[in-house]
Amino acid sequence: QQQVKQSPQSLIVQKGGISIINCAYENTAFDYFPWYQQFPGKGPALLIAIRPDVSEKKEGRFTISFNKSAKQFSLHIMDSQPGDSATYFCAASLGNAGNMLTFGGGTRLMVKP
Amino acid sequence: ETGVTQTPRHLVMGMTNKKSLKCEQHLGHNAMYWYKQSAKKPLELMFVYNFKEQTENNSVPSRFSPECPNSSHLFLHLHTLQPEDSALYLCASSRTNSGFDTQYFGPGTRLTVL
């Protein structure tokens, strides 16, 4: 079964702190791992994505760490800001088998000022 | 704005009603998707269209009927729904149906089935 398990379900972080969200997948054939950010009343929007040929990808304050052997990947938000308060979803797909994303359950992040 | 619009934004319907959700993308994309977002469940892919042709039906009940008249428009026709179908229905599009192409989501239609 193609599943992506995400934790924690909710996270409260102080402004300036590091937010860490973890995901684990089962299908070793997955080769594309995006993270989406969703604000209330909006649809999800791509935040950052990684392919399994690299172990880390950084874009500004957002970093994906990828552990292929453990079948896990995580999102790190450095210097978290109140504007980062949103729901974050990890996802996985088979890059060459149609754009069918399997999503994790989501993490509701609240950054306190 | 993402370039993907959805109407209506909110819809309340009875179990015997027939209604339709509309999605339009202004991005020149060729692939479009319907997702269901329920509380406490992961986003579920429902249908995939590529160049107007349905390429994926993720075991969705027949009370949901998609229609894609062209690459810019996608509809979801609803009939005889159940209360458990109440959810946020999201439309997305991508340039191609490659798994590496970014999907751009609309704001969704919040559906309540009474």
Side-chain angles (χ1 to χ4, degrees), chain A residues 44-110:
Chain A
L46 179 68
L47 186 64
I48 186 173
I50 196 169
R51 298 193 192 187
D53 53 342
V54 296
S55 60
E56 186 175 282
K57 183 174 182 180
K58 183 176 181 180
E59 290 184 2
R61 296 185 293 108
F62 301 91
T63 299
I64 300 178
S65 296
F66 186 82
N67 186 329
K68 188 173 182 178
S69 60
K71 296 189 288 184
Q72 295 176 345
F73 58 111
S74 60
L75 176 70
H76 295 236
I77 306 174
M78 311 299 288
D79 186 26
S80 298
Q81 299 297 312
D84 296 330
S85 298
T87 301
Y88 293 81
F89 296 93
C90 63
S93 71
L94 302 168
N96 294 313
N99 202 346
M100 295 182 288
L101 291 170
T102 299
F103 281 88
T107 297
R108 183 171 292 183
L109 172 66
M110 178 185 296

Side-chain angles (χ1 to χ4, degrees), chain B residues 3-42:
Chain B
V4 181
T5 58
Q6 291 188 243
T7 54
R9 293 294 308 274
H10 301 271
L11 179 62
V12 179
M13 59 186 291
M15 289 191 287
T16 59
N17 291 159
K18 290 185 180 180
K19 297 286 184 182
S20 295
L21 310 184
K22 179 183 177 181
C23 174
E24 183 173 2
Q25 57 95 0
H26 309 273
L27 301 169
H29 290 169
N30 295 306
M32 297 188 77
Y33 313 81
W34 279 117
Y35 286 88
K36 177 183 180 182
Q37 187 173 30
S38 307
K40 301 181 181 179
K41 290 183 73 175

Side-chain angles (χ1 to χ4, degrees), chain A residues 4 31-32 36 38 41-46 51 87 89 93-106, chain B residues 1-2 9 33 35 37 41-43 45 48 56 88 90 94 96-108:
Chain A
V4 177
D31 57 1
Y32 180 65
Y36 280 79
Q38 185 177 25
K42 305 284 187 180
L46 179 68
R51 298 193 192 187
T87 301
F89 296 93
S93 71
L94 302 168
N96 294 313
N99 202 346
M100 295 182 288
L101 291 170
T102 299
F103 281 88
Chain B
E1 297 300 326
T2 64
R9 293 294 308 274
Y33 313 81
Y35 286 88
Q37 187 173 30
K41 290 183 73 175
L43 271 154
L45 178 65
V48 181
E56 185 71 19
L88 180 69
L90 291 161
S94 61
T96 73
N97 68 339
S98 163
F100 301 116
D101 273 352
T102 299
Q103 292 187 27
Y104 295 83
F105 285 82

Side-chain angles (χ1 to χ4, degrees), chain B residues 46-82:
Chain B
M46 300 174 70
F47 301 103
V48 181
Y49 277 83
N50 189 43
F51 288 98
K52 305 186 300 178
E53 298 297 321
Q54 187 180 121
T55 60
E56 185 71 19
N57 176 337
N58 200 18
S59 303
V60 180
S62 59
R63 58 185 184 270
F64 295 91
S65 175
E67 178 189 2
C68 188
N70 54 61
S71 292
S72 298
H73 294 86
L74 185 64
F75 295 88
L76 188 63
H77 304 298
L78 316 172
H79 64 95
T80 324
L81 294 192
Q82 305 298 311

